[in-house]
Amino acid sequence: MPVRPLHASTERRLVTTRLHIDWTRCDGHGSCVELLPDQLGVDDFGFPVPRSGQRDPVVPRRAEDAARHAVRNCPVMALRMYDAAS
Amino acid sequence: MTTAPSALARRLLDGAGADHEAHVARYGALPGLRLDDLLAAVADSGLTGRGGGGFPAATKVRAVAQGARRPVVVGNGIEGEPLSSKDAVLLNRNPHLVLDGLEVLARALHAKRAILAVGPEIEPGPVTDAARRRPVHLVALAGGFVAGQETALVNGLNGQAPLPRDPFTRVTESGVDDRPTLVLNVETLAQIALVARYGATWFRSAGLPDDPGTSLFTISGSVSRPGVIEAERGARLSDALAPARPVRPAAVLVGGYHGAWVPASDLGARLTRAELAPYSASVGTGILHVLDTETCPLDLSADVMDYLARQSARQCGPCLNGLPRMASDLHRLAVGVRDPDLPNELERMAALVTGRGACAHPDGSARFVASTLRVFRGHVAAHLEGRCPSARSTRARSVAS
Amino acid sequence: MSATLTSALWALGRGTGVVALVLFTSAIVLGILARSGRRVAGLGRFGISDLHRAAALTGAGLVVAHVGSLLFDPYAQLRLVDLALPFLASYRPLWLGLGTLTLDLLVVVTVVSLLRGRLGPRVFRVVHWATYVLWPIAVLHALGSGTDAGSTWFRTLAAVCVGSVIVAVGWRLVPSYGGRGWAREPRRSA
């Protein structure tokens, strides 16, 4: 078994960042799907689908910048990010 | 099937109507409880919400108690589900017990306001008479299937369109007048009034240890005596149905249009979370709708999906687009379109809309569709072979038209 | 103030004004394109929104430079009050006043856009409609008070700007503009 460096354990996060979609606002523009291709797919009607099947999908650390970009970029302000206990 | 009188209970339904003196004579005076005592009693009772979600009542009360401002307490008597009439019957026969629940909570929480919101299905007379001289605002609102959703009710009470809102900010944080808001179904409030008077131990003397108390059930469909009954939680489905006398049951829709089917072969199942889980069903609002052996279940389900699609608030894309798609695919299946991909397509669409809306409407509708395909698997297969096992199928007519 | 510096400021004032007009025109066209939800090859949908934002913010920055340089211009004789209240200037009060009006609207639209996360989409959208008033006023200001207004190159440029916005707004008004497969018409009586 490979030995993980010590700092790896301190990087374990107690909170996870999640993406919330306000479906009453979402118009299916699709810019979030382009920015977060690993997290979001698109349904038959052009609306985003979390690939994980989660209601508010977890945003991995490597995708946080892209998620912030998506939140800022959404033309109808349907997205927000929040931290939740994991 | 034998009638089991033990399943029936009489806690809520033999009230004294709008007469307050008779009500106090029947149940005793309403005690004034401190929040801690009320919370402890409700938590110990194990009472769950009777409006569909089945969420522990104590958790909600605790959430608003921790709010920064004085809360608003709301009794939800919208009853937008067409198969349900238990709230209407309760408010007709025992309005004071519901008002007691509101009052004891409002006092313990030092609430700014206590509101009883009723939909057009509620007969206004008794509840209006009862609410007079009681510290509760009675508000009549427009109905509709989604109008009773918690956030839609809050929007309606705030003078906005009674449509669901994004649930990111919970109403227990900010609801009516931006105050922490406790929304409880009217039956839940009546149960709280009983717990406040007689305590958790008494409450637990009916029902099962992990699902205690009683519940109201609205029984409809293929039965000779439809109506509202009160039964112990965890009663067998057959026992709960017995007083209504089912006629040639093929399956029972448990929990209404957002619910799921239990086949007639399994009516020995208890109405508990655990025993209904294999069917993805839950007691929900206590709707038990009996389907007879002669009606085509796919015909009926397609009509229900039409209704559900029409009742969409048309705010959220997946619901607005996905529900009509499921309705039309169910109709195609019902009228005998022999496309073997239809069941897969319906299942895919049901999974696709689930969890992607502001309220429970897409999830509940998807649960109904998935249950229909699963429980009537044989029937679906027959339709795909071009025949319908039901005697009173409208398929021939539909194909001809 | 030396003559060289004065003419440099004058050139800067003119130049920033002209480029700002081009950027605002682009911002409007890109905004309409972004709202349509259509994809432009090589840019992506988010790229259009980003460009819209960048064009609008750069334009706003240039307007600050434009106003700043003209504040020191001996001909224009702008006072600080002319930056906020229109039609009080001594030099071409009408055409300069339109510029002041543009600046006022621009400040409101920019501030609301930057704070839209706090103000919510309704306020943002209503205020953002003001750009359809802001832009024509800016064009009139450029045509009326611009030194280059009479020159062919500027007239050509202005015609291209006006033409693009007319085409874009015209497309915005066509029913198929929002056609991404669904009509958004929430029921008002649930």
Side-chain angles (χ1 to χ4, degrees):
Chain A
M1 204 173 92
V3 180
R4 280 194 301 172
L6 272 177
H7 67 259
S9 62
T10 60
E11 266 186 21
R12 268 198 60 180
R13 288 187 291 172
L14 295 173
V15 291
T16 47
T17 303
R18 288 176 178 273
L19 189 70
H20 176 79
I21 303 169
D22 180 343
W23 293 103
T24 66
R25 289 184 186 173
C26 178
D27 242 347
H29 281 82
S31 57
C32 56
V33 177
E34 291 176 344
L35 287 162
L36 295 164
D38 295 338
Q39 282 74 42
L40 299 174
V42 66
D43 73 7
D44 305 33
F45 318 106
F47 293 88
V49 190
R51 292 195 191 278
S52 63
Q54 290 161 316
R55 190 172 280 268
D56 289 353
V58 170
V59 179
R61 180 157 284 182
R62 64 176 185 287
E64 274 181 19
D65 283 342
R68 261 188 289 275
H69 190 176
V71 170
R72 197 176 59 234
N73 194 280
C74 177
V76 289
M77 300 170 65
L79 297 174
R80 69 165 94 204
M81 277 163 83
Y82 66 97
D83 287 335
S86 50
Chain B
M1 204 188 301
T2 54
T3 309
S6 66
L8 287 180
R10 297 211 69 81
R11 288 182 171 183
L12 301 174
L13 289 184
D14 54 350
D19 183 342
H20 193 246
E21 269 177 42
H23 170 73
V24 174
R26 160 86 173 82
Y27 290 98
L30 179 67
L33 291 182
R34 286 179 38 245
L35 179 63
D36 290 348
D37 298 331
L38 183 61
L39 253 177
V42 173
D44 291 347
S45 75
L47 172 65
T48 51
R50 304 295 201 237
F55 206 64
T59 312
K60 268 192 183 179
V61 178
R62 209 171 281 128
V64 288
Q66 287 161 351
R69 305 173 68 193
R70 287 173 64 192
V72 173
V73 184
V74 179
N76 186 349
I78 298 295
E79 200 161 44
E81 162 88 54
L83 291 180
S84 180
S85 49
K86 57 113 177 164
D87 292 343
V89 168
L90 176 66
L91 285 169
N92 198 10
R93 294 203 208 161
N94 211 342
H96 280 295
L97 202 58
V98 175
L99 295 166
D100 284 350
L102 271 174
E103 192 175 328
V104 77
L105 279 167
R107 274 199 232 149
L109 289 163
H110 300 289
K112 187 78 180 173
R113 287 165 79 194
I115 301 169
L116 177 58
V118 294
E121 321 305 327
I122 311 298
E123 193 193 324
V127 69
T128 309
D129 286 347
R132 221 165 268 150
R133 284 195 299 254
R134 301 216 43 177
V136 171
H137 301 269
L138 183 67
V139 179
L141 289 176
F145 197 79
V146 298
Q149 296 274 335
E150 196 171 70
T151 58
L153 176 55
V154 164
N155 275 347
L157 289 171
N158 279 334
Q160 291 160 320
L163 303 174
R165 72 175 196 200
D166 181 45
F168 186 82
T169 305
R170 295 195 176 91
V171 300
T172 51
E173 291 166 44
S174 175
V176 175
D177 301 337
D178 296 330
R179 291 176 176 277
T181 301
L182 177 65
V183 180
L184 290 171
N185 170 260
V186 289
E187 183 191 342
T188 315
L189 289 168
Q191 301 279 15
I192 286 176
L194 294 175
V195 170
R197 281 189 172 87
Y198 313 131
T201 311
W202 171 86
F203 183 80
R204 287 179 163 279
S205 65
L208 301 175
D210 58 349
D211 196 349
T214 65
S215 258
L216 297 178
F217 291 91
T218 312
I219 306 178
S220 60
S222 178
V223 293
S224 37
R225 296 178 60 193
V228 174
I229 61 146
E230 183 178 1
E232 297 202 23
R233 297 286 289 188
R236 290 190 192 282
L237 194 42
S238 53
D239 291 341
L241 287 171
R245 299 201 194 120
V247 182
R248 292 186 300 280
V252 180
L253 182 61
V254 177
Y257 291 166
H258 278 177
W261 297 98
V262 175
S265 55
D266 299 357
L267 293 188
R270 288 188 184 277
L271 290 161
T272 62
R273 192 177 294 263
E275 293 200 21
L276 290 176
Y279 311 95
S280 317
S282 62
V283 177
T285 49
I287 289 167
L288 304 175
H289 183 79
V290 179
L291 174 78
D292 64 277
T293 48
E294 319 209 324
T295 305
C296 172
L298 300 181
D299 257 359
L300 178 85
S301 300
D303 288 344
V304 169
M305 260 323 289
D306 272 347
Y307 170 81
L308 291 174
R310 276 200 309 276
Q311 291 297 316
S312 167
R314 305 178 64 80
Q315 297 189 106
C316 307
C319 180
L320 171 59
N321 291 289
L323 267 50
R325 178 81 70 92
M326 287 194 281
S328 84
D329 279 354
L330 263 180
H331 274 294
R332 278 152 53 83
L333 205 52
V335 300
V337 173
R338 295 172 71 173
D339 176 356
D341 213 35
L342 277 174
N344 296 335
E345 185 52 27
L346 275 161
E347 267 169 32
R348 187 183 71 86
M349 195 50 62
L352 195 62
V353 300
T354 300
R356 293 173 63 233
C359 77
H361 194 52
D363 301 49
S365 305
R367 186 182 311 123
F368 173 78
V369 167
S371 168
T372 300
L373 293 173
R374 200 168 50 240
V375 170
F376 302 111
R377 205 182 295 116
H379 207 101
V380 169
H383 271 237
L384 290 175
E385 287 166 13
R387 60 191 175 81
C388 176
S390 302
R392 266 193 288 128
S393 171
T394 55
R395 186 161 56 82
R397 188 203 64 208
S398 303
V399 168
S401 66
Chain C
M1 204 180 283
S2 78
T4 325
L5 184 60
T6 306
S7 56
L9 278 174
W10 183 237
L12 184 68
R14 280 158 53 203
T16 47
V18 170
V19 179
L21 181 64
V22 172
L23 284 169
F24 286 147
T25 303
S26 316
I28 286 196
V29 173
L30 287 163
I32 289 172
L33 198 58
R35 192 72 178 82
S36 81
R38 278 175 181 71
R39 188 199 290 270
V40 171
L43 260 185
R45 295 180 181 87
F46 68 91
I48 299 169
S49 284
D50 284 348
L51 266 185
H52 160 73
R53 187 185 154 92
L57 285 176
T58 312
L62 286 177
V63 166
V64 171
H66 173 71
V67 173
S69 61
L70 293 180
L71 202 54
F72 297 104
D73 181 83
Y75 295 101
Q77 291 179 351
L78 278 183
R79 295 161 303 164
L80 277 173
V81 68
D82 295 323
L83 301 188
L85 297 176
F87 312 120
L88 299 177
S90 51
Y91 174 77
R92 298 189 181 179
L94 173 65
W95 302 118
L96 263 181
L98 291 176
T100 305
L101 217 50
T102 306
L103 182 64
D104 291 345
L105 285 170
L106 185 63
V107 167
V108 173
V109 170
T110 308
V111 167
V112 166
S113 298
L114 293 174
L115 292 178
R116 70 177 196 154
R118 278 190 204 175
L119 297 170
R122 218 166 294 165
V123 175
F124 167 73
R125 201 172 307 149
V126 169
V127 173
H128 227 64
W129 281 107
T131 50
Y132 289 114
V133 179
L134 188 161
W135 185 85
I137 297 178
V139 173
L140 287 178
H141 162 74
L143 288 174
S145 60
T147 317
D148 308 306
S151 64
T152 314
W153 71 265
F154 186 78
R155 286 192 173 179
T156 313
L157 184 75
V160 169
C161 285
V162 172
S164 346
V165 168
I166 286 176
V167 168
V169 171
W171 177 47
R172 178 82 169 85
L173 298 174
V174 167
S176 67
Y177 164 80
R180 286 186 306 282
W182 71 303
R184 190 187 173 78
E185 34 177 75
R187 243 179 13 175
R188 280 299 153 213
S189 56

mmCIF file of all heavy atoms in Angstrom, chain B residues 43-78:
data_model
loop_
_atom_site.group_PDB
_atom_site.id
_atom_site.type_symbol
_atom_site.label_atom_id
_atom_site.label_comp_id
_atom_site.label_asym_id
_atom_site.label_seq_id
_atom_site.Cartn_x
_atom_site.Cartn_y
_atom_site.Cartn_z
ATOM 1 N N ALA B 43 -41.499 15.496 21.203
ATOM 2 C CA ALA B 43 -40.372 14.643 20.804
ATOM 3 C C ALA B 43 -40.579 13.216 21.321
ATOM 4 O O ALA B 43 -40.409 12.249 20.569
ATOM 5 C CB ALA B 43 -39.058 15.225 21.326
ATOM 6 N N ASP B 44 -40.982 13.087 22.598
ATOM 7 C CA ASP B 44 -41.185 11.747 23.173
ATOM 8 C C ASP B 44 -42.343 11.013 22.494
ATOM 9 O O ASP B 44 -42.348 9.783 22.420
ATOM 10 C CB ASP B 44 -41.473 11.851 24.682
ATOM 11 C CG ASP B 44 -40.242 12.307 25.451
ATOM 12 O OD1 ASP B 44 -39.142 12.294 24.852
ATOM 13 O OD2 ASP B 44 -40.375 12.678 26.635
ATOM 14 N N SER B 45 -43.321 11.765 22.029
ATOM 15 C CA SER B 45 -44.483 11.117 21.409
ATOM 16 C C SER B 45 -44.108 10.453 20.082
ATOM 17 O O SER B 45 -44.772 9.529 19.635
ATOM 18 C CB SER B 45 -45.592 12.142 21.165
ATOM 19 O OG SER B 45 -45.262 12.961 20.058
ATOM 20 N N GLY B 46 -43.053 10.950 19.436
ATOM 21 C CA GLY B 46 -42.669 10.393 18.140
ATOM 22 C C GLY B 46 -43.601 10.817 17.013
ATOM 23 O O GLY B 46 -43.618 10.200 15.947
ATOM 24 N N LEU B 47 -44.374 11.871 17.247
ATOM 25 C CA LEU B 47 -45.343 12.336 16.249
ATOM 26 C C LEU B 47 -44.637 12.801 14.971
ATOM 27 O O LEU B 47 -43.667 13.555 15.029
ATOM 28 C CB LEU B 47 -46.171 13.492 16.839
ATOM 29 C CG LEU B 47 -47.103 14.240 15.888
ATOM 30 C CD1 LEU B 47 -48.205 13.322 15.383
ATOM 31 C CD2 LEU B 47 -47.694 15.463 16.582
ATOM 32 N N THR B 48 -45.139 12.329 13.838
ATOM 33 C CA THR B 48 -44.611 12.787 12.546
ATOM 34 C C THR B 48 -45.677 13.600 11.832
ATOM 35 O O THR B 48 -46.867 13.467 12.101
ATOM 36 C CB THR B 48 -44.223 11.587 11.658
ATOM 37 O OG1 THR B 48 -45.332 10.682 11.605
ATOM 38 C CG2 THR B 48 -43.008 10.864 12.210
ATOM 39 N N GLY B 49 -45.233 14.448 10.908
ATOM 40 C CA GLY B 49 -46.142 15.316 10.168
ATOM 41 C C GLY B 49 -47.140 14.498 9.373
ATOM 42 O O GLY B 49 -46.789 13.492 8.771
ATOM 43 N N ARG B 50 -48.404 14.941 9.365
ATOM 44 C CA ARG B 50 -49.461 14.205 8.677
ATOM 45 C C ARG B 50 -49.836 14.847 7.345
ATOM 46 O O ARG B 50 -50.881 14.537 6.785
ATOM 47 C CB ARG B 50 -50.711 14.142 9.564
ATOM 48 C CG ARG B 50 -50.470 13.542 10.952
ATOM 49 C CD ARG B 50 -50.080 12.071 10.861
ATOM 50 N NE ARG B 50 -50.337 11.389 12.130
ATOM 51 C CZ ARG B 50 -49.415 10.736 12.837
ATOM 52 N NH1 ARG B 50 -48.161 10.677 12.414
ATOM 53 N NH2 ARG B 50 -49.739 10.118 13.955
ATOM 54 N N GLY B 51 -48.980 15.758 6.854
ATOM 55 C CA GLY B 51 -49.316 16.464 5.619
ATOM 56 C C GLY B 51 -48.668 15.858 4.389
ATOM 57 O O GLY B 51 -48.805 16.365 3.290
ATOM 58 N N GLY B 52 -47.923 14.779 4.549
ATOM 59 C CA GLY B 52 -47.315 14.136 3.388
ATOM 60 C C GLY B 52 -45.848 13.814 3.599
ATOM 61 O O GLY B 52 -45.386 12.738 3.250
ATOM 62 N N GLY B 53 -45.108 14.758 4.154
ATOM 63 C CA GLY B 53 -43.668 14.568 4.297
ATOM 64 C C GLY B 53 -43.278 13.555 5.361
ATOM 65 O O GLY B 53 -42.259 12.876 5.246
ATOM 66 N N GLY B 54 -44.099 13.452 6.419
ATOM 67 C CA GLY B 54 -43.806 12.508 7.480
ATOM 68 C C GLY B 54 -42.577 12.854 8.292
ATOM 69 O O GLY B 54 -41.937 11.988 8.888
ATOM 70 N N PHE B 55 -42.247 14.123 8.345
ATOM 71 C CA PHE B 55 -41.082 14.635 9.063
ATOM 72 C C PHE B 55 -41.409 14.705 10.556
ATOM 73 O O PHE B 55 -42.527 15.052 10.917
ATOM 74 C CB PHE B 55 -40.810 16.038 8.515
ATOM 75 C CG PHE B 55 -39.398 16.486 8.630
ATOM 76 C CD1 PHE B 55 -38.399 15.830 7.937
ATOM 77 C CD2 PHE B 55 -39.072 17.581 9.425
ATOM 78 C CE1 PHE B 55 -37.087 16.258 8.038
ATOM 79 C CE2 PHE B 55 -37.765 18.010 9.531
ATOM 80 C CZ PHE B 55 -36.776 17.339 8.823
ATOM 81 N N PRO B 56 -40.452 14.381 11.455
ATOM 82 C CA PRO B 56 -40.757 14.485 12.892
ATOM 83 C C PRO B 56 -41.196 15.907 13.269
ATOM 84 O O PRO B 56 -40.506 16.875 12.952
ATOM 85 C CB PRO B 56 -39.423 14.132 13.558
ATOM 86 C CG PRO B 56 -38.687 13.332 12.549
ATOM 87 C CD PRO B 56 -39.113 13.850 11.221
ATOM 88 N N ALA B 57 -42.351 15.999 13.920
ATOM 89 C CA ALA B 57 -42.916 17.319 14.231
ATOM 90 C C ALA B 57 -41.989 18.104 15.158
ATOM 91 O O ALA B 57 -41.839 19.322 15.014
ATOM 92 C CB ALA B 57 -44.300 17.158 14.858
ATOM 93 N N ALA B 58 -41.337 17.416 16.102
ATOM 94 C CA ALA B 58 -40.498 18.109 17.085
ATOM 95 C C ALA B 58 -39.320 18.820 16.418
ATOM 96 O O ALA B 58 -38.914 19.900 16.859
ATOM 97 C CB ALA B 58 -39.988 17.118 18.126
ATOM 98 N N THR B 59 -38.787 18.225 15.346
ATOM 99 C CA THR B 59 -37.632 18.829 14.669
ATOM 100 C C THR B 59 -37.991 20.198 14.098
ATOM 101 O O THR B 59 -37.222 21.159 14.208
ATOM 102 C CB THR B 59 -37.159 17.907 13.526
ATOM 103 O OG1 THR B 59 -37.053 16.578 14.039
ATOM 104 C CG2 THR B 59 -35.831 18.341 12.974
ATOM 105 N N LYS B 60 -39.190 20.273 13.493
ATOM 106 C CA LYS B 60 -39.638 21.546 12.918
ATOM 107 C C LYS B 60 -39.848 22.589 14.006
ATOM 108 O O LYS B 60 -39.466 23.748 13.863
ATOM 109 C CB LYS B 60 -40.964 21.341 12.177
ATOM 110 C CG LYS B 60 -40.836 21.033 10.710
ATOM 111 C CD LYS B 60 -42.227 21.161 10.092
ATOM 112 C CE LYS B 60 -42.228 20.799 8.634
ATOM 113 N NZ LYS B 60 -43.591 20.901 8.072
ATOM 114 N N VAL B 61 -40.490 22.165 15.123
ATOM 115 C CA VAL B 61 -40.773 23.106 16.214
ATOM 116 C C VAL B 61 -39.455 23.645 16.757
ATOM 117 O O VAL B 61 -39.296 24.850 16.984
ATOM 118 C CB VAL B 61 -41.579 22.420 17.338
ATOM 119 C CG1 VAL B 61 -41.816 23.393 18.491
ATOM 120 C CG2 VAL B 61 -42.900 21.894 16.806
ATOM 121 N N ARG B 62 -38.489 22.737 16.922
ATOM 122 C CA ARG B 62 -37.181 23.144 17.453
ATOM 123 C C ARG B 62 -36.521 24.155 16.520
ATOM 124 O O ARG B 62 -35.916 25.123 16.968
ATOM 125 C CB ARG B 62 -36.298 21.899 17.610
ATOM 126 C CG ARG B 62 -35.282 22.010 18.715
ATOM 127 C CD ARG B 62 -34.587 20.666 18.973
ATOM 128 N NE ARG B 62 -35.379 19.737 19.752
ATOM 129 C CZ ARG B 62 -35.639 18.477 19.390
ATOM 130 N NH1 ARG B 62 -35.185 18.012 18.245
ATOM 131 N NH2 ARG B 62 -36.351 17.696 20.165
ATOM 132 N N ALA B 63 -36.651 23.921 15.206
ATOM 133 C CA ALA B 63 -36.006 24.809 14.231
ATOM 134 C C ALA B 63 -36.529 26.243 14.345
ATOM 135 O O ALA B 63 -35.738 27.191 14.348
ATOM 136 C CB ALA B 63 -36.220 24.279 12.811
ATOM 137 N N VAL B 64 -37.845 26.420 14.476
ATOM 138 C CA VAL B 64 -38.355 27.804 14.572
ATOM 139 C C VAL B 64 -38.072 28.400 15.946
ATOM 140 O O VAL B 64 -37.911 29.608 16.084
ATOM 141 C CB VAL B 64 -39.866 27.940 14.288
ATOM 142 C CG1 VAL B 64 -40.160 27.758 12.832
ATOM 143 C CG2 VAL B 64 -40.681 27.026 15.128
ATOM 144 N N ALA B 65 -37.984 27.529 16.981
ATOM 145 C CA ALA B 65 -37.711 28.036 18.325
ATOM 146 C C ALA B 65 -36.331 28.675 18.388
ATOM 147 O O ALA B 65 -36.094 29.580 19.190
ATOM 148 C CB ALA B 65 -37.816 26.903 19.349
ATOM 149 N N GLN B 66 -35.422 28.212 17.515
ATOM 150 C CA GLN B 66 -34.062 28.752 17.510
ATOM 151 C C GLN B 66 -33.934 29.998 16.652
ATOM 152 O O GLN B 66 -32.850 30.570 16.552
ATOM 153 C CB GLN B 66 -33.082 27.686 16.995
ATOM 154 C CG GLN B 66 -32.846 26.581 18.008
ATOM 155 C CD GLN B 66 -32.277 25.325 17.370
ATOM 156 O OE1 GLN B 66 -32.208 25.213 16.147
ATOM 157 N NE2 GLN B 66 -31.873 24.376 18.196
ATOM 158 N N GLY B 67 -35.036 30.419 16.021
ATOM 159 C CA GLY B 67 -34.982 31.569 15.136
ATOM 160 C C GLY B 67 -34.680 32.854 15.884
ATOM 161 O O GLY B 67 -34.844 32.951 17.099
ATOM 162 N N ALA B 68 -34.218 33.856 15.115
ATOM 163 C CA ALA B 68 -33.810 35.118 15.724
ATOM 164 C C ALA B 68 -35.016 35.973 16.106
ATOM 165 O O ALA B 68 -34.946 36.770 17.039
ATOM 166 C CB ALA B 68 -32.908 35.878 14.752
ATOM 167 N N ARG B 69 -36.114 35.793 15.374
ATOM 168 C CA ARG B 69 -37.287 36.638 15.628
ATOM 169 C C ARG B 69 -38.442 35.778 16.114
ATOM 170 O O ARG B 69 -38.425 34.566 16.005
ATOM 171 C CB ARG B 69 -37.693 37.361 14.334
ATOM 172 C CG ARG B 69 -36.577 38.163 13.715
ATOM 173 C CD ARG B 69 -37.014 38.706 12.362
ATOM 174 N NE ARG B 69 -38.068 39.713 12.473
ATOM 175 C CZ ARG B 69 -38.780 40.150 11.440
ATOM 176 N NH1 ARG B 69 -38.579 39.658 10.241
ATOM 177 N NH2 ARG B 69 -39.727 41.073 11.616
ATOM 178 N N ARG B 70 -39.473 36.462 16.643
ATOM 179 C CA ARG B 70 -40.651 35.726 17.075
ATOM 180 C C ARG B 70 -41.299 35.069 15.853
ATOM 181 O O ARG B 70 -41.513 35.721 14.828
ATOM 182 C CB ARG B 70 -41.630 36.672 17.774
ATOM 183 C CG ARG B 70 -41.148 37.085 19.165
ATOM 184 C CD ARG B 70 -42.048 38.154 19.740
ATOM 185 N NE ARG B 70 -43.416 37.676 19.948
ATOM 186 C CZ ARG B 70 -44.444 38.466 20.227
ATOM 187 N NH1 ARG B 70 -44.262 39.764 20.330
ATOM 188 N NH2 ARG B 70 -45.645 37.969 20.408
ATOM 189 N N PRO B 71 -41.639 33.800 15.957
ATOM 190 C CA PRO B 71 -42.096 33.070 14.772
ATOM 191 C C PRO B 71 -43.577 33.279 14.452
ATOM 192 O O PRO B 71 -44.321 33.907 15.220
ATOM 193 C CB PRO B 71 -41.843 31.616 15.153
ATOM 194 C CG PRO B 71 -41.976 31.593 16.637
ATOM 195 C CD PRO B 71 -41.498 32.941 17.134
ATOM 196 N N VAL B 72 -43.983 32.738 13.309
ATOM 197 C CA VAL B 72 -45.385 32.662 12.919
ATOM 198 C C VAL B 72 -45.726 31.172 12.830
ATOM 199 O O VAL B 72 -44.938 30.388 12.314
ATOM 200 C CB VAL B 72 -45.612 33.355 11.557
ATOM 201 C CG1 VAL B 72 -47.035 33.127 11.063
ATOM 202 C CG2 VAL B 72 -45.309 34.838 11.655
ATOM 203 N N VAL B 73 -46.871 30.800 13.382
ATOM 204 C CA VAL B 73 -47.296 29.407 13.335
ATOM 205 C C VAL B 73 -48.472 29.299 12.364
ATOM 206 O O VAL B 73 -49.423 30.074 12.456
ATOM 207 C CB VAL B 73 -47.705 28.911 14.742
ATOM 208 C CG1 VAL B 73 -48.061 27.437 14.695
ATOM 209 C CG2 VAL B 73 -46.575 29.133 15.743
ATOM 210 N N VAL B 74 -48.373 28.365 11.417
ATOM 211 C CA VAL B 74 -49.396 28.238 10.384
ATOM 212 C C VAL B 74 -49.963 26.823 10.362
ATOM 213 O O VAL B 74 -49.207 25.849 10.317
ATOM 214 C CB VAL B 74 -48.815 28.567 8.987
ATOM 215 C CG1 VAL B 74 -49.884 28.404 7.903
ATOM 216 C CG2 VAL B 74 -48.234 29.971 8.953
ATOM 217 N N GLY B 75 -51.288 26.737 10.419
ATOM 218 C CA GLY B 75 -51.953 25.459 10.217
ATOM 219 C C GLY B 75 -52.281 25.311 8.745
ATOM 220 O O GLY B 75 -52.929 26.183 8.158
ATOM 221 N N ASN B 76 -51.816 24.221 8.133
ATOM 222 C CA ASN B 76 -52.010 24.018 6.698
ATOM 223 C C ASN B 76 -53.274 23.191 6.465
ATOM 224 O O ASN B 76 -53.289 21.984 6.658
ATOM 225 C CB ASN B 76 -50.779 23.333 6.111
ATOM 226 C CG ASN B 76 -50.837 23.207 4.593
ATOM 227 O OD1 ASN B 76 -51.879 23.440 3.985
ATOM 228 N ND2 ASN B 76 -49.714 22.845 3.992
ATOM 229 N N GLY B 77 -54.336 23.885 6.061
ATOM 230 C CA GLY B 77 -55.593 23.210 5.747
ATOM 231 C C GLY B 77 -55.971 23.435 4.293
ATOM 232 O O GLY B 77 -57.134 23.661 3.964
ATOM 233 N N ILE B 78 -54.980 23.412 3.393
ATOM 234 C CA ILE B 78 -55.254 23.659 1.970
ATOM 235 C C ILE B 78 -55.856 22.409 1.325
ATOM 236 O O ILE B 78 -56.796 22.483 0.549
ATOM 237 C CB ILE B 78 -53.966 24.102 1.230
ATOM 238 C CG1 ILE B 78 -53.451 25.418 1.816
ATOM 239 C CG2 ILE B 78 -54.233 24.251 -0.262
ATOM 240 C CD1 ILE B 78 -54.368 26.602 1.623
#
